[in-house]
Amino acid sequence: QVEGRSITTIEGLVEADGTLHAVQAAFLEQDAFQCGYCTPGQIMSAVACIREGHAGSDEEIREYMAGNLCRCGAYPHIVAAVRQAALEVQS
């Protein structure tokens, strides 16, 4: 199904010089993870959320990210991280 397509994993978000992607950095700054189990999926979804233009409001972010479950309940921090990263990516 993905033959001939480009796939980016969470490791592929980091720049060649080791600089974290804006979403990765925001997750650290906003303490948007606890156990780390869901973090890779949350971050990859957040990158797509921002790229696809669904980070206009907290409600829109929550709706877009609703398919990712966090067993620790870090949702407010995740939304804050997506909001922060969206602002950084836009500027």
Side-chain angles (χ1 to χ4, degrees):
Q1 290 181 356
V2 295
E3 186 175 334
R5 296 182 185 196
S6 176
I7 298 172
T8 302
T9 64
I10 191 162
E11 294 85 2
L13 294 177
V14 177
E15 298 292 329
D17 66 358
T19 303
L20 294 177
H21 185 280
V23 173
Q24 292 171 308
F27 264 64
L28 287 171
E29 290 175 28
Q30 295 293 332
D31 197 25
F33 57 91
Q34 290 180 26
C35 77
Y37 184 79
C38 71
T39 304
Q42 295 283 1
I43 289 175
M44 295 307 293
S45 290
V47 169
C49 176
I50 294 166
R51 183 184 60 237
E52 294 176 12
H54 298 288
S57 68
D58 287 2
E59 293 76 26
E60 190 176 21
I61 292 168
R62 281 189 202 95
E63 177 68 26
Y64 189 90
M65 299 289 291
N68 293 313
L69 302 178
C70 173
R71 64 186 184 186
C72 300
Y75 297 114
H77 299 277
I78 292 168
V79 171
V82 176
R83 187 178 347 108
Q84 175 184 327
L87 292 172
E88 291 177 20
V89 168
Q90 293 171 355
S91 59

